[in-house]
Amino acid sequence: MDILSLLNWRYAAKRMTGQEVPQEKIDRILESIQLSASSIGMQPFRVLVIKDTELKSKIREVAANQPQITEASHLLVFAAWDTITQERVEDYLNRTIEVRQVTRESLAPLKAYADSMLNNSPEQNFNWTSRQAYIALGTALIAAAAEKVDATPMEGFNPQALDELLGLQELGLKSVTLLPLGYRDIENDWLVNLPKVRTKKEDLFITDKELQATASA
Amino acid sequence: MDILSLLNWRYAAKRMTGQEVPQEKIDRILESIQLSASSIGMQPFRVLVIKDTELKSKIREVAANQPQITEASHLLVFAAWDTITQERVEDYLNRTIEVRQVTRESLAPLKAYADSMLNNSPEQNFNWTSRQAYIALGTALIAAAAEKVDATPMEGFNPQALDELLGLQELGLKSVTLLPLGYRDIENDWLVNLPKVRTKKEDLFITDKELQATASA
């Protein structure tokens, strides 16, 4: 499993060809999202899978007119729960009981943790639910690369306008990121041949020795 | 590349054996974090790599005494930037200029986007920087699985106490998640044989057809 070559292969394509991605590839990318880790396994987000041409055009209008949205085969919209509710906690506990065949009592610690979030503000909870969606986003990027499918994470959109367009408020969701899936347009993408810019390892990582040197300085 | 089998293999080990993970495996996991995507490529977080036994014991004390922290070979601490500063924007632009050999003028759109965050509250910026760290967390989980290394993402710690212990405030960082890396302790981990609980596909994913049915209902 060479994850590094997948990460080196992928980039945020700025133009896509419009070519359709086979459904079995999409299915595996979605399954990887489903299998992603999340805090206490709650998966407090949903993923919209949009193929409809007209709807993609409307989304593009509230997303800085970025061409990949309509040039993609499928557009994923990651939308996090707007907050944690009693009903959502119950669904989560019931799902765990169903899959693991355990008693409700055995889940008391999980329930206590989940219940504690009912006291948080919706904003606090949304910050938490958003983070969990981003773990799945990280997974989806690698899963797409493994299928040789390009994927461009996008935060450059008007979330209020998008939520309204998609009726997300009624679903208790708020959009956090877009992920067009398609194929890079090598001839028209200015980014395709530019080197990846990454923070140097010595800046990105801090060893315990460096920490202790700072602490004792 | 079978990402699905990696995701199925991995789980959040509750006990680890203490066995050391070879440095080359750690290096590849760290490199995958370095290569992870982030919004505008800014990578607004740092990762602490902790091997020191005494320091891991102290961290365990502020992390609900979770045993994996000291049973892990290496403990990663993902710490997001506490906010966006002018200096950080400059470093980011300079790094891009250095790697891509482009002019500063050509980066005007990136600079405008980055500069706009200088007007946000530290809290707003930290919510954004945290999300970017979680993309890298998602990457690290798959990279660890590819090395047959177990990894248990943890949010159950006292972030203020941990930041103080590690001197993160002085570095302009706030801890967001812990990731012990090690080997599952099959004999002592109650979770090892339990099935994964995941939201059903029909609940997790929403197709455009379902959206339109809701909108017209």
Side-chain angles (χ1 to χ4, degrees):
Chain A
M1 281 285 142
D2 189 0
I3 301 298
L4 294 176
S5 55
L6 294 182
L7 289 166
N8 276 308
W9 176 83
R10 74 155 300 280
Y11 78 117
K14 299 301 175 195
R15 298 297 303 269
M16 292 183 173
T17 59
Q19 193 194 329
E20 189 163 335
V21 177
Q23 191 59 42
E24 64 266 25
K25 287 179 181 278
I26 298 292
D27 287 344
R28 284 190 292 265
I29 296 167
L30 296 182
E31 189 168 347
S32 78
I33 291 171
Q34 186 196 22
L35 288 171
S36 276
S38 64
S39 184
I40 63 166
M42 200 180 228
Q43 298 177 282
F45 60 86
R46 295 295 176 256
V47 178
L48 285 72
V49 184
I50 294 169
K51 254 197 102 181
D52 184 75
T53 306
E54 199 185 331
L55 187 54
K56 284 190 284 191
S57 295
K58 286 184 189 166
I59 294 173
R60 180 170 164 169
E61 286 171 24
V62 297
N65 196 31
Q66 291 177 86
Q68 310 96 310
I69 293 174
T70 50
E71 291 167 357
S73 167
H74 293 66
L75 175 68
L76 304 187
V77 180
F78 286 74
W81 290 359
D82 55 359
T83 191
I84 307 296
T85 63
Q86 191 72 63
E87 190 189 350
R88 284 167 161 169
V89 172
E90 282 305 308
D91 286 349
Y92 157 73
L93 294 173
N94 288 334
R95 176 76 179 145
T96 307
I97 291 165
E98 177 195 345
V99 173
R100 291 208 172 138
Q101 298 284 306
V102 291
T103 63
R104 195 176 167 82
E105 292 65 42
S106 71
L107 300 180
L110 275 188
K111 179 173 174 2
Y113 189 92
D115 280 349
S116 72
M117 291 189 282
L118 299 173
N119 301 319
N120 293 344
S121 69
E123 198 185 337
Q124 284 173 313
N125 282 330
F126 175 65
N127 286 333
W128 179 81
T129 62
S130 300
R131 291 183 192 184
Q132 309 311 318
Y134 272 59
I135 300 175
L137 175 64
T139 305
L141 293 177
I142 299 176
E147 302 290 342
K148 287 277 177 280
V149 168
D150 283 290
T152 307
M154 290 180 173
E155 291 182 339
F157 60 92
N158 179 332
Q160 288 78 24
L162 184 61
D163 293 355
E164 192 170 336
L165 176 64
L166 300 175
L168 294 188
Q169 196 183 341
E170 290 75 8
L171 300 172
L173 299 171
K174 292 169 82 171
S175 53
V176 291
T177 193
L178 301 178
L179 191 67
L181 298 172
Y183 295 101
R184 61 186 68 178
D185 181 349
I186 293 171
E187 290 186 10
N188 294 302
D189 188 349
W190 56 269
L191 187 57
V192 68
N193 288 318
L194 286 179
K196 226 180 251 309
V197 180
R198 289 296 185 269
T199 304
K200 289 178 189 168
K201 285 199 177 95
E202 59 264 39
D203 295 327
L204 188 60
F205 302 109
I206 303 172
T207 65
D208 41 15
K209 280 180 192 148
E210 290 169 314
L211 268 185
Q212 282 154 356
T214 311
S216 60
Chain B
M1 279 285 139
D2 188 0
I3 301 298
L4 294 176
S5 56
L6 295 182
L7 289 166
N8 276 309
W9 176 82
R10 75 156 298 281
Y11 78 117
K14 299 301 174 194
R15 297 298 303 270
M16 292 182 173
T17 59
Q19 194 194 330
E20 189 164 334
V21 177
Q23 191 59 42
E24 65 266 25
K25 287 179 180 277
I26 299 292
D27 287 345
R28 284 190 292 265
I29 295 167
L30 296 182
E31 188 167 348
S32 78
I33 291 171
Q34 186 196 21
L35 288 171
S36 276
S38 65
S39 184
I40 64 167
M42 201 180 229
Q43 298 176 284
F45 60 87
R46 295 294 175 257
V47 178
L48 285 71
V49 184
I50 294 169
K51 254 197 101 180
D52 184 75
T53 307
E54 199 184 332
L55 187 53
K56 283 191 284 191
S57 295
K58 286 184 190 166
I59 293 173
R60 180 170 164 170
E61 286 171 23
V62 297
N65 196 31
Q66 291 177 86
Q68 310 96 309
I69 293 174
T70 50
E71 290 167 358
S73 167
H74 294 66
L75 175 68
L76 304 187
V77 180
F78 286 74
W81 291 358
D82 55 358
T83 191
I84 307 296
T85 63
Q86 191 72 62
E87 191 189 349
R88 284 168 161 170
V89 172
E90 282 304 308
D91 286 349
Y92 157 73
L93 293 173
N94 288 335
R95 177 77 179 145
T96 307
I97 291 165
E98 177 195 343
V99 174
R100 292 209 171 137
Q101 297 283 305
V102 292
T103 63
R104 195 176 168 82
E105 291 65 41
S106 71
L107 300 181
L110 275 188
K111 180 173 174 1
Y113 189 93
D115 281 348
S116 72
M117 291 189 282
L118 299 173
N119 301 318
N120 293 344
S121 70
E123 198 185 336
Q124 284 174 312
N125 282 330
F126 175 65
N127 286 332
W128 180 81
T129 61
S130 300
R131 291 183 193 185
Q132 309 310 318
Y134 272 59
I135 300 176
L137 175 64
T139 305
L141 293 177
I142 298 176
E147 302 289 342
K148 288 277 176 281
V149 168
D150 284 290
T152 307
M154 290 180 175
E155 292 181 339
F157 60 93
N158 179 331
Q160 288 78 23
L162 184 61
D163 293 355
E164 192 170 337
L165 177 65
L166 300 175
L168 294 188
Q169 196 183 341
E170 290 75 8
L171 300 172
L173 299 171
K174 293 169 81 170
S175 53
V176 291
T177 192
L178 301 178
L179 191 67
L181 297 173
Y183 295 101
R184 62 186 70 178
D185 182 349
I186 293 170
E187 290 186 12
N188 294 302
D189 188 349
W190 57 267
L191 187 57
V192 68
N193 289 317
L194 285 179
K196 227 181 250 310
V197 180
R198 289 296 185 270
T199 304
K200 290 178 190 167
K201 284 200 177 92
E202 59 265 38
D203 294 328
L204 187 60
F205 302 109
I206 302 171
T207 65
D208 41 16
K209 280 181 193 146
E210 291 170 315
L211 268 186
Q212 284 155 352
T214 311
S216 60

